[in-house]
Amino acid sequence: GKTVAENLAEVDPLKEGQEVIMPLESPKRADGPLIILKGNLAPRGAVAKVSGVKVERHVGPAKVFNTEHDAVEAVLNDEVKAGDVVVVRFVGPKGGPGMPEMLSLSSMLVGKGLGESVALLTDGRFSGGTHGLVIGHIAPEAQSGGPIALLEDGDVVTICQKNKELSFEITEEELERR
């Protein structure tokens, strides 16, 4: 019920010389906190949250789940190991529906010490509080027939920030067969 000025009257001022908005000539990060990845796993793109993530490239076997609940169970049962790529599909805008966030799953991975060594991919979304190597909004989503629907356990997935790549190792013939 207060005005902005009344609320700010009780807040300490910025420290001398503290900058809140950085000039374009000297950004905190050249590419921002989010980047778009593309490749045969995300032909229309995917969103990677890279702020605070030290890993720039991750290559590992997919562990594929059709529900977040199944992925959570696998993490709780120690079935997810360092190097894995956990994939939760059919949770996008159409498949969800409602597109639930994956904060619990990513928090569990971080809590188990796997936040930097396990990638988490989904056609769904993450919240702003998510930590670790996470990629969401993979498009097209599984429910719409995107390649994420054809991913199988053990397929080798590559995530590369530098090349802005999200792909998996598969021949055209095998992709057509699936």
Side-chain angles (χ1 to χ4, degrees):
K2 297 179 183 178
T3 66
V4 173
E6 290 170 333
N7 284 327
L8 291 177
E10 299 175 23
V11 175
D12 292 334
L14 295 176
K15 292 181 176 74
E16 185 69 35
Q18 181 179 359
E19 292 187 53
V20 177
I21 299 173
M22 304 304 294
L24 291 175
E25 301 79 43
S26 59
K28 290 271 187 190
R29 184 181 171 119
D31 56 4
L34 304 171
I35 60 173
I36 304 301
L37 307 176
K38 288 190 173 184
N40 67 354
L41 189 52
R44 286 198 228 140
V47 180
K49 182 179 175 188
V50 295
S51 58
V53 176
K54 297 178 186 115
V55 179
E56 293 187 4
R57 181 175 171 82
H58 182 95
V59 179
K63 291 218 172 172
V64 182
F65 304 93
N66 291 330
T67 69
E68 182 182 14
H69 174 78
D70 291 345
V72 165
E73 288 298 311
V75 171
L76 291 174
N77 292 328
D78 295 323
E79 296 168 18
V80 173
K81 307 290 183 209
D84 287 343
V85 177
V86 174
V87 179
V88 182
R89 60 188 180 190
F90 295 105
V91 293
K94 292 181 182 176
M99 217 166 159
E101 68 172 329
M102 301 248 174
L103 185 57
S104 297
L105 182 55
S106 63
S107 297
M108 286 178 180
L109 289 169
V110 170
K112 285 190 167 268
L114 299 171
E116 295 283 330
S117 63
V118 169
L120 177 55
L121 305 151
T122 184
D123 52 7
R125 71 179 179 98
F126 296 101
S127 77
T130 303
H131 291 80
L133 184 54
V134 297
I135 298 166
H137 302 285
I138 294 174
E141 68 177 283
Q143 189 69 30
S144 295
I148 190 173
L150 305 175
L151 198 61
E152 294 181 358
D153 284 337
D155 285 345
V156 177
V157 175
T158 298
I159 302 158
C160 182
Q161 284 187 35
K162 180 181 176 186
N163 297 335
K164 296 185 172 51
E165 173 191 1
L166 179 58
S167 61
F168 67 121
E169 293 177 17
I170 191 167
T171 64
E172 287 298 321
E173 295 80 22
E174 178 62 15
L175 192 60
E176 185 62 32
R177 185 193 68 74
R178 290 183 188 179

